[in-house]
Amino acid sequence: MKTGISLAIIMAISVATGLAYAEELDVRFLPSKMVENSHGIMHVFVTDGDQVVPKMVTDLTVTSLDSTILHIEKASSTNSFITEVSVKAVKAGTTKIYLAAPGFTSKEIPVTVYGNKNNAAKILLKVTPNTFTTSGSNEGYVSVELADEDGFPVIAKEDVTILLSTANKDVLEFADSSLIIKKGQYYAYSKFFVKKSGNAIMYATSNGIETQSATITIKKDEDIKVKMYTYPKILSTNDASKGFIIAQLQDSSGRPVLAQKDITVHYKVIDSTYSETSNYSNNYKQKNTGYFTIPKGSYWGYTQYSLPKGIEGTYDVSISTQDPLTVETEEIEAKNLQFMDDKTVKFETIPVLTTGNNELIGAVYLEDESGNPIGAKKDLMIRIDSSDASSLTIKDTIITRGDQVALVFGKTSHSAPTELKLRPVVAGGELTTLDVFGPNKDSLQLVVEPLISKVLSGTDFPFVFYLKDGNEITAFPESKNIFISPNEYVTLKPKTVLPRDTLVVAEASSLKKGATSLSFEIGDFKSSLSVDSMSLEPASARLDRAKTVFVGTNDVFSIQLLNAAGLPTYATDNVDVSIVTKDQGIIEMPSKITIEKGKYYTLFDAAPKSAGETDVSLLAKGLPLFTEKVKVVSLKPTITVNGPQSVNASESFMVTISAAANGKPLADMNVGWDISGGIVQISDSKTGSTGEAMAAIIAQDSPINIKATVGSQWYPDTTVSKTVAVNRESGELFVQQENIEQQYQTPEILGIDPVLLVVPVAIVASGFMLKKKGQLKIRK
């Protein structure tokens, strides 16, 4: 017998230890997602796994790791198993709260405070494009956009000035370094220009708003050089001998490269016996030394030089540049030759880049059949045919009387032909192949993207369009209108793309919130993208409740407004929310509540009536239907009684009562014993850690009726009974029908059967009303 009692004690201690480790402190925030500069409530309670345990927490200590983010204002001591703590969300950020109470392991819980959706806290900075090459386009767009702490666009309440700056002024410059986002708007944009290779960091700053930055990379084309061309190589000294020096910026493959800045080209004719000639033509001033320029945005430059009349000899023509560093020299010859009637037109070309502009493509000059230079006896107009007039159109070229050379110009397209041949329309004119560089129309890709980071529905916003040739941005080849596919989300204002345009901005309008796929066409070029228009209006409503909802105990529910990103947002107007409970016999809620303008949540009380599960739906104008299953758990305990079926008269025996709920033992339950037919030696007034209570009884001559009533502050009284037969000395046995049926006794107040409510003092003190006389009040 002693061994059995000892084993029972050991088992009880073991189970009690396991229970101590299973139960832990937990919290619930109302609302679940708090916004800076607002007040809320934190419920502290005990859980065992996923279940809430109705157990009072005494001497609770709650602290915040960073009170500048979440401030603990007041913890309310109540008679409930839920401790209410008033908190204030001070500013956006993440922190931790620490919970400690006797009998529990201390716990830390992460907390996030969200930014206020009505306040601009940061700048969204977007750069298009953010990578350049020194040979490509040198202009881009920068946009700035107001956003809250979570990156959601915000409308400016007043004019907001945003300053653009960079420490890399030698690499980057702004068309306008001061952008103003007008009141009622949320973005602004402007152009910027890159000046040379390198990296530049762009900063966007404004008072009281977090500074943002973006990095722009300008890649330097390797082995850039200046190539010299001289025409003709042999000059006649019989008249004013004139020649041309052409300088062209090229990469290592001989492809022309657009200059990102003016390049000064110095030239010199060596072994000349004069310092400056007095000969002048109608178009050029001739000199034997000087400089000319390859202009920014072009890739070539030229000058005309002259040699002294009547002096034969060889000369070195040289050019030099500093950036890129270039020195080139070429030998020319001057001969004393007479004019001849038999002459040939020679046509020589230089590489051409398809820019859509008038470009220098080469030179024509006169020579005899021996290859000696001759001058024109009269103005000579030379027409040059092109094998592809859509790619290159040549202007008629005139060699004036007395000259032997003239430059040839032509208008290029924006697309390089597969092969281009040219021929002067004169007797003996020879075909010449022209090296043309530029994008192939078939390899070009149309790129379309919003110029700003995020789009708000119901507003105008810009798109940017450009063509890419590999990694290079290139100009549009021809004049075309922009078309957008029909849709109900975005419209595009009429816009025409012109030849030579690189980055084209077109205004669009967002008609309603939501994501959609858009298709665009500019001539033969097509592109598509997805645009998600965000809304300042709430996008959804969310219902929050406790982990466990108990029958007979009112619970606090909350409804919170969220934006499209699932983040808390304020009501821009009163939002009426209808609450529909599928089975009101399980839980009762208000049929309608209102989240007032300028608020982001509301609280209300729900009255659980019976155990079960039901759907609860939220309906509000302009918001999607929200439905969630709510499960209500009964607090009625399971009570069992264990003892012998019969005993002998005067024998001492034990009866054990066991209390459990949801499959787990209930400790500290009040136990009331009602025993007749026997003498009670000792009895437990409460259940122990194993959920058991015992009574020691001495049997008398009559049957023993045992009745035990078990309950607590949270669990209703439940009664169980048992009859133990007593053996007389005569051998007769008194037997009475054993009753082990559980009886759930519901208290009555003035004849009314109320729902048992647990009313925290802090809730009552705050004016929170619970269910009384069948009425539910919304919390204010």
Side-chain angles (χ1 to χ4, degrees):
M1 183 68 177
K2 289 183 179 180
T3 301
I5 295 174
S6 299
L7 181 59
I9 293 173
I10 292 172
M11 290 178 63
I13 294 173
S14 175
V15 172
T17 303
L19 287 173
Y21 280 106
E23 293 180 353
E24 62 178 359
L25 299 173
D26 204 349
V27 300
R28 170 198 178 202
F29 283 95
L30 295 168
S32 60
K33 294 183 177 182
M34 296 191 64
V35 176
E36 63 180 338
N37 197 30
S38 68
H39 288 82
I41 301 170
M42 181 173 68
H43 282 175
V44 183
F45 46 87
V46 179
T47 59
D48 186 352
D50 293 332
Q51 292 292 323
V52 175
V53 179
K55 182 175 183 178
M56 182 177 291
V57 179
T58 58
D59 297 328
L60 175 68
T61 300
V62 183
T63 58
S64 174
L65 176 63
D66 188 347
S67 59
T68 65
I69 295 176
L70 185 72
H71 178 63
I72 307 299
E73 293 189 328
K74 181 178 64 176
S76 303
S77 177
T78 71
N79 294 324
S80 170
F81 60 82
I82 294 176
T83 302
E84 271 197 353
V85 181
S86 299
V87 297
K88 180 178 181 181
V90 182
K91 68 177 183 181
T94 57
T95 184
K96 294 179 181 179
I97 57 171
Y98 300 103
L99 306 175
F104 297 94
T105 301
S106 299
K107 190 173 183 180
E108 66 176 40
I109 296 177
V111 178
T112 297
V113 174
Y114 296 88
N116 189 334
K117 302 302 169 190
N118 290 336
N119 295 333
K122 65 171 60 175
I123 298 169
L124 302 181
L125 180 64
K126 185 176 182 182
V127 176
T128 306
N130 59 8
T131 303
F132 297 81
T133 61
T134 55
S135 62
S137 172
N138 71 326
E139 66 178 29
Y141 279 95
V142 53
S143 70
V144 291
E145 189 173 356
L146 295 179
D148 59 26
E149 187 70 30
D150 301 310
F152 199 90
V154 172
I155 299 293
K157 297 180 177 65
E158 57 186 12
D159 288 358
V160 177
T161 300
I162 297 178
L163 300 178
L164 301 177
S165 62
T166 180
N168 313 104
K169 295 182 179 179
D170 58 332
V171 177
L172 181 70
E173 66 179 358
F174 301 101
D176 188 354
S177 61
S178 179
L179 300 182
I180 298 178
I181 299 178
K182 297 288 187 180
K183 178 181 179 181
Q185 299 295 320
Y186 63 101
Y187 69 86
Y189 65 90
S190 181
K191 273 188 176 183
F192 67 90
F193 304 94
V194 296
K195 302 163 69 176
K196 69 172 190 177
S197 62
N199 291 330
I201 301 178
M202 181 187 299
Y203 298 94
T205 59
S206 184
N207 291 334
I209 302 179
E210 181 183 340
T211 297
Q212 295 295 320
S213 64
T215 299
I216 298 169
T217 300
I218 305 96
K219 299 177 181 179
K220 183 177 182 180
D221 290 287
E222 297 298 329
D223 300 325
I224 297 297
K225 62 182 179 179
V226 175
K227 173 69 175 175
M228 180 177 70
Y229 299 90
T230 61
Y231 299 109
K233 300 294 190 295
I234 302 175
L235 282 75
S236 172
T237 63
N238 288 327
D239 202 348
S241 55
K242 290 176 285 189
F244 286 99
I245 301 172
I246 301 173
Q248 189 177 86
L249 189 64
Q250 299 178 354
D251 62 17
S252 58
S253 67
R255 176 191 174 101
V257 174
L258 293 175
Q260 299 301 306
K261 62 179 181 178
D262 289 349
I263 299 176
T264 300
V265 182
H266 294 272
Y267 73 93
K268 182 180 292 186
V269 180
I270 304 174
D271 288 342
S272 176
T273 60
Y274 69 105
S275 60
E276 184 171 331
T277 181
S278 59
N279 295 323
Y280 294 86
S281 72
N282 294 330
N283 300 314
Y284 309 104
K285 179 180 179 180
Q286 299 104 45
K287 299 166 63 177
N288 69 336
T289 184
Y291 64 88
F292 59 96
T293 301
I294 299 177
K296 175 183 176 182
S298 181
Y299 58 92
W300 52 265
Y302 68 90
T303 189
Q304 186 178 14
Y305 70 94
S306 62
L307 297 177
K309 183 178 179 180
I311 300 177
E312 294 184 313
T314 58
Y315 297 85
D316 287 335
V317 178
S318 64
I319 64 168
S320 63
T321 60
Q322 290 186 344
D323 185 15
L325 183 60
T326 302
V327 176
E328 280 209 1
T329 302
E330 190 169 339
E331 186 178 86
I332 62 171
E333 185 177 359
K335 290 184 178 182
N336 186 10
L337 300 170
Q338 301 296 321
F339 286 110
M340 298 181 66
D341 292 331
D342 294 334
K343 54 184 176 291
T344 301
V345 175
K346 299 293 291 185
F347 177 35
E348 295 195 49
T349 62
I350 61 175
V352 174
L353 194 62
T354 56
T355 62
N357 301 327
N358 283 315
E359 302 293 351
L360 175 59
I361 64 172
V364 289
Y365 56 92
L366 303 177
E367 62 180 30
D368 61 21
E369 58 185 11
S370 299
N372 295 316
I374 57 176
K377 291 183 179 182
K378 61 179 179 179
D379 289 351
L380 181 62
M381 184 176 71
I382 300 173
R383 184 162 60 90
I384 300 175
D385 282 346
S386 170
S387 63
D388 187 350
S390 63
S391 297
L392 178 65
T393 303
I394 309 296
K395 292 183 177 181
D396 290 343
T397 304
I398 298 177
I399 301 178
T400 58
R401 180 179 180 276
D403 289 340
Q404 69 176 95
V405 63
L407 298 180
V408 180
F409 295 86
K411 182 172 178 59
T412 69
S413 68
H414 288 275
S415 180
T418 304
E419 184 180 51
L420 187 61
K421 292 186 179 295
L422 306 175
R423 182 173 62 184
V425 184
V426 294
E430 297 180 354
L431 278 175
T432 301
T433 299
L434 180 67
D435 292 330
V436 182
F437 295 88
N440 187 305
K441 191 174 182 179
D442 295 334
S443 66
L444 295 178
Q445 176 191 2
L446 175 63
V447 180
V448 186
E449 58 181 297
L451 198 57
I452 59 177
S453 301
K454 296 182 179 179
V455 176
L456 278 179
S457 63
T459 66
D460 293 339
F461 69 98
F463 277 112
V464 61
F465 301 80
Y466 54 95
L467 290 178
K468 289 191 73 174
D469 180 22
N471 294 324
E472 294 274 355
I473 292 179
T474 189
F476 285 92
E478 53 190 346
S479 177
K480 292 291 182 180
N481 292 326
I482 302 176
F483 293 98
I484 185 174
S485 58
N487 69 95
E488 56 182 334
Y489 288 88
V490 175
T491 61
L492 190 70
K493 297 179 181 179
K495 182 72 175 182
T496 300
V497 173
L498 301 176
R500 299 178 60 184
D501 284 346
T502 50
L503 297 175
V504 177
V505 175
E507 293 295 324
S509 297
S510 172
L511 304 179
K512 68 177 186 178
K513 66 181 179 180
T516 185
S517 180
L518 303 174
S519 297
F520 297 89
E521 290 186 13
I522 303 178
D524 295 331
F525 302 110
K526 298 180 181 181
S527 182
S528 61
L529 77 159
S530 179
V531 172
D532 188 2
S533 295
M534 309 176 77
S535 176
L536 292 176
E537 300 291 333
S540 63
R542 168 177 171 175
L543 180 71
D544 286 314
R545 56 183 174 80
K547 284 185 176 180
T548 306
V549 181
F550 293 111
V551 173
T553 302
N554 263 31
D555 194 15
V556 184
F557 281 54
S558 74
I559 296 180
Q560 183 168 18
L561 297 176
L562 303 176
N563 64 15
L567 302 174
T569 188
Y570 286 84
T572 55
D573 204 347
N574 286 352
V575 178
D576 294 324
V577 182
S578 297
I579 305 175
V580 179
T581 304
K582 184 176 181 180
D583 189 346
Q584 294 189 356
I586 293 177
I587 189 169
E588 184 181 348
M589 297 184 186
S591 61
K592 180 179 289 186
I593 64 168
T594 298
I595 302 177
E596 298 176 352
K597 178 180 179 180
K599 304 292 184 181
Y600 67 98
Y601 75 95
T602 189
L603 304 179
F604 65 92
D605 294 301
K609 293 182 176 181
S610 62
E613 188 175 73
T614 184
D615 289 337
V616 176
S617 299
L618 305 180
L619 298 95
K621 183 178 180 181
L623 301 181
L625 173 68
F626 176 92
T627 300
E628 184 173 83
K629 289 190 179 298
V630 175
K631 184 178 181 180
V632 179
V633 179
S634 174
L635 275 172
K636 181 180 178 181
T638 299
I639 308 298
T640 59
V641 57
N642 293 300
Q645 296 297 320
S646 63
V647 295
N648 295 323
S650 301
E651 181 182 350
S652 177
F653 64 94
M654 302 289 292
V655 176
T656 303
I657 301 297
S658 298
N662 296 317
K664 297 181 179 180
L666 296 176
D668 296 324
M669 298 283 285
N670 298 320
V671 182
W673 298 93
D674 183 5
I675 300 173
S676 62
I679 300 173
V680 178
Q681 290 182 303
I682 189 171
S683 62
D684 292 329
S685 60
K686 288 182 176 293
T687 58
S689 59
T690 61
E692 295 180 330
M694 293 181 290
I697 305 171
I698 298 176
Q700 295 179 309
D701 290 338
S702 60
I704 303 167
N705 295 314
I706 302 169
K707 183 184 293 185
T709 302
V710 181
S712 72
Q713 181 179 4
W714 323 121
Y715 294 92
D717 288 346
T718 303
T719 299
V720 67
S721 60
K722 181 180 178 64
T723 297
V724 179
V726 177
N727 297 317
R728 286 186 170 185
E729 292 182 359
S730 62
E732 297 179 2
L733 179 65
F734 281 105
V735 180
Q736 183 171 321
Q737 178 67 35
E738 181 178 331
N739 180 12
I740 60 173
E741 179 183 355
Q742 298 182 22
Q743 301 172 18
Y744 174 50
Q745 298 178 348
T746 303
E748 289 188 350
I749 301 175
L750 300 178
I752 300 174
D753 181 8
V755 177
L756 178 62
L757 304 176
V758 180
V759 187
V761 173
I763 295 179
V764 176
S766 302
F768 291 178
M769 303 298 295
L770 301 182
K771 179 176 175 65
K772 292 182 179 180
K773 297 182 180 179
Q775 294 182 351
L776 286 169
K777 300 293 184 181
I778 298 172
R779 295 181 173 224
K780 301 294 185 181

